Amino acid sequence: MCLLVDTSDAKVTLPSIISQNMVLQQQAKVNIWGKAAPNEKITLKASWTQKVYTTEADENGRWKMQIKTPKACTGQWLDIEGENQIHIPNILIGEVWLCTGQSNMEFPVAHNPKEKWKTGIIHEEKEMQDATFNEIRLFHVEHQLAPDGEKEDCQGEWRICNPENLKEFSAIGFIFGRKLYKTLNVPVGLIQSTWGGTHAESWTSMEVMKNNPLYEEVFQQFAPEKLTRQKDIPKVPATLWNGMIAPILGYTVKGNIWYQGESNSVRYEKYDQVFTHLIKDWRMRWGQPDMPFYFMQIAPQYKQPAGIREAQWKVWQHSKLKNIGMAVVTDACDSTDIHPRMKQQAGERFAAWALAKQYKQKTAYSGPAYKSMKVKGNQLILTFHYTNGGLTTPANEPVKGFYIAGNDQVFYPAKAEIEQNKVILTAPEVPEPIAARYGFGTFFRVNLYNGAGFPAVPFRTDSFELK
């Protein structure tokens, strides 16, 4: 692993993410950067091309260049030369994805008895039996706080995917990457940058937040001089952007999967704006304006209000951002544990979005999502997007989770009948219905799916003030 150091010794140095075992994005212009003596000439040679790339370090000793990569392949290398020479062996060319967010993305494959919440993925032993892949590589950005400004490098190294190296790696990231690898049959690189218990503002650059009233509350609450608890330090605005995103900024990727929001549930009414700003900023700073950004809707849990899931829905449906999508795990949750162990569904559903949208696979990628409502007498008739194969329930059991209300804004459990791609709702207490809700609460049991096996997205049709 090569770390950036002072350039006074005039040697070419590289950030830790540009190192042996790495995966470079195929058929792309990928960024390679580092430090050297000011104005030093840098030469780069790649095993897959006869072209020699050259550049010069700037007056501060920083240099950067873009090189073209071929189709997916293995056994590649790079030689970088200035005053010294660096040889980077065992490079793969394939598909590279970020895996970012808070604890549910950080949740590891293996049980870690030293940290109570890291209980490991369900069926851990079975999953580890299918965990050795020479052509899947893992880069885990180690925790690094940086409240005072952006860091140039981080601790981490590219590792080959095997049971030992997977123990502390993101379970969702692994399931996602394994699905891509088995489906596409190309090398896959996964970059994990996560920290549990952190809000989106920790992962947002200061450039976006400064002088914006949207963030005033967070700046006041988490000003470094006001913190009294050590656990709150990672919540200092921009500190994780500075320490754990800026050092890998620009490493060319296909896209990002994001699982975060639990720590923003106390300010859910602002989350759609906060998250939208984050996505736009990451894309701009990465130099990839259309970077795919797929995120997980927060799993039902007794402390997680409906408002945070609705805010995520708004980002997906109303932000007008392209190349985004929301996955749902209403059927892989735990009423009391904010870290459900059933990570297979989450990883597979992230993969479905990527496979369908980025890799043009003919596969379903979302469960039923509310489209429209019509009132007919005492009935509410709902229609949905993404009804692949029609609406259904497991074993054709009665539909659970729908409520309707009239002008009094009191919601009562509704009888729900599936009629082709529609759901018809009635309740004896509501002779003149005007609004419907589905899975709209903290923890709930729901069971509407489409024919492809994806669960319906929780929603409400009303805009009543939340209580």
Side-chain angles (χ1 to χ4, degrees):
M1 177 174 67
C2 302
L3 300 179
L4 289 174
V5 294
D6 194 320
T7 60
S8 59
D9 60 3
K11 289 185 178 181
V12 176
T13 59
L14 301 172
S16 58
I17 198 167
I18 299 176
S19 53
Q20 66 178 0
N21 299 325
M22 69 179 173
V23 183
L24 295 177
Q25 179 62 39
Q26 68 169 322
Q27 297 181 290
K29 291 182 178 179
V30 302
N31 298 309
I32 305 293
W33 70 94
K35 296 186 77 173
N39 306 314
E40 184 173 352
K41 182 179 178 181
I42 310 297
T43 300
L44 183 149
K45 297 178 182 178
S47 55
W48 57 85
T49 180
Q50 296 297 312
K51 182 175 181 179
V52 177
Y53 294 83
T54 61
T55 191
E56 284 189 2
D58 65 17
E59 60 184 11
N60 297 311
R62 295 181 177 87
W63 59 268
K64 181 179 180 181
M65 63 178 79
Q66 283 192 329
I67 64 174
K68 291 184 179 180
T69 54
K71 290 183 179 180
C73 54
T74 62
Q76 304 301 308
W77 51 261
L78 288 177
D79 280 339
I80 301 171
E81 186 174 359
E83 181 180 301
N84 58 306
Q85 185 179 65
I86 299 175
H87 177 67
I88 308 176
N90 199 24
I91 296 172
L92 304 179
I93 311 294
E95 294 299 307
V96 184
W97 284 80
L98 296 168
C99 309
T100 56
Q102 59 178 111
S103 55
N104 271 303
M105 185 62 81
E106 186 169 17
F107 189 92
V109 175
H111 171 59
N112 183 347
K114 294 181 181 179
E115 296 187 66
K116 186 177 179 181
W117 68 274
K118 293 183 176 180
T119 50
I121 193 171
I122 196 168
H123 307 312
E124 175 187 331
E125 183 176 344
K126 179 182 177 182
E127 296 293 352
M128 285 298 196
Q129 291 174 359
D130 187 23
T132 301
F133 299 96
N134 183 58
E135 294 181 9
I136 298 178
R137 304 289 171 80
L138 317 170
F139 188 92
H140 192 168
V141 178
E142 294 187 18
H143 285 180
Q144 178 173 235
L145 297 169
D148 298 325
E150 296 181 358
K151 296 289 187 181
E152 291 189 319
D153 201 12
C154 61
Q155 295 288 327
E157 60 182 326
W158 284 99
R159 296 181 177 181
I160 296 171
C161 182
N162 59 44
E164 183 61 31
N165 289 337
L166 263 180
K167 285 182 178 178
E168 280 296 308
F169 199 78
S170 165
I172 290 176
F174 165 61
I175 297 295
F176 168 82
R178 184 178 65 185
K179 181 67 173 181
L180 262 56
Y181 175 73
K182 288 187 172 183
T183 303
L184 302 173
N185 197 29
V186 299
V188 172
L190 302 169
I191 303 168
Q192 176 184 344
S193 187
T194 55
W195 194 314
T198 55
H199 53 199
E201 293 86 346
S202 304
W203 298 97
T204 305
S205 74
M206 190 59 70
E207 284 296 311
V208 170
M209 297 186 290
K210 65 181 181 181
N211 303 321
N212 188 332
L214 178 67
Y215 300 96
E216 184 176 351
E217 179 184 357
V218 170
F219 278 119
Q220 290 181 356
Q221 184 176 358
F222 296 103
E225 66 273 12
K226 293 183 179 180
L227 297 183
T228 58
R229 298 189 309 167
Q230 191 75 11
K231 290 197 298 184
D232 283 339
I233 296 177
K235 293 184 178 180
V236 172
T239 190
L240 300 184
W241 164 271
N242 291 339
M244 297 178 66
I245 299 298
I248 61 173
L249 190 62
Y251 191 90
T252 308
V253 299
K254 188 70 171 184
N256 183 29
I257 57 172
W258 167 270
Y259 197 150
Q260 189 279 334
E262 297 94 337
S263 291
N264 281 82
S265 64
V266 295
R267 297 184 300 278
Y268 64 76
E269 69 281 355
K270 297 180 180 179
Y271 188 73
D272 61 321
Q273 296 181 68
V274 167
F275 188 33
T276 297
H277 290 173
L278 182 148
I279 295 172
K280 289 180 177 179
D281 184 50
W282 280 35
R283 288 172 164 178
M284 185 271 293
R285 294 290 299 274
W286 230 278
Q288 295 184 226
D290 295 321
M291 179 197 292
F293 214 107
Y294 300 122
F295 53 95
M296 185 63 63
Q297 190 180 54
I298 300 306
Q301 196 258 353
Y302 81 105
K303 288 185 177 180
Q304 295 302 306
I308 187 65
R309 281 181 289 275
E310 183 174 54
Q312 293 173 306
W313 161 273
K314 288 179 180 178
V315 174
W316 178 31
Q317 293 291 314
H318 304 304
S319 67
K320 297 183 180 180
L321 293 173
K322 297 180 179 179
N323 280 345
I324 65 170
M326 187 176 75
V328 172
V329 283
T330 53
D331 55 347
C333 53
D334 189 306
S335 62
T336 59
D337 190 351
I338 203 169
H339 307 114
R341 298 180 63 206
M342 302 78 78
K343 299 304 185 194
Q344 290 87 344
Q345 292 92 327
E348 294 267 346
R349 287 170 188 162
F350 271 133
W353 271 100
L355 289 169
K357 294 298 186 178
Q358 269 54 65
Y359 304 110
K360 308 307 178 185
Q361 301 284 310
K362 293 183 179 180
T363 183
Y365 54 90
S366 175
Y370 171 69
K371 180 181 180 181
S372 65
M373 178 186 74
K374 182 173 72 173
V375 179
K376 185 179 180 180
N378 68 339
Q379 298 178 336
L380 279 186
I381 303 172
L382 306 179
T383 60
F384 297 83
H385 298 287
Y386 311 113
T387 58
N388 307 63
L391 299 175
T392 187
T393 61
N396 292 316
E397 61 190 19
V399 183
K400 302 175 185 175
F402 279 99
Y403 289 76
I404 60 175
N407 284 318
D408 61 1
Q409 301 184 14
V410 177
F411 283 86
Y412 295 92
K415 180 181 179 181
E417 297 286 348
I418 294 173
E419 191 174 283
Q420 297 179 332
N421 291 330
K422 299 177 181 179
V423 173
I424 301 173
L425 304 176
T426 58
E429 301 90 345
V430 189
E432 297 180 356
I434 63 169
R437 292 180 176 182
Y438 173 77
F440 200 81
T442 51
F443 182 78
F444 45 82
R445 299 286 187 189
V446 290
N447 66 346
L448 184 65
Y449 289 76
N450 62 20
F454 286 79
V457 182
F459 70 93
R460 63 170 175 162
T461 66
D462 64 276
S463 58
F464 304 151
E465 183 177 348
L466 295 180
K467 298 176 182 180

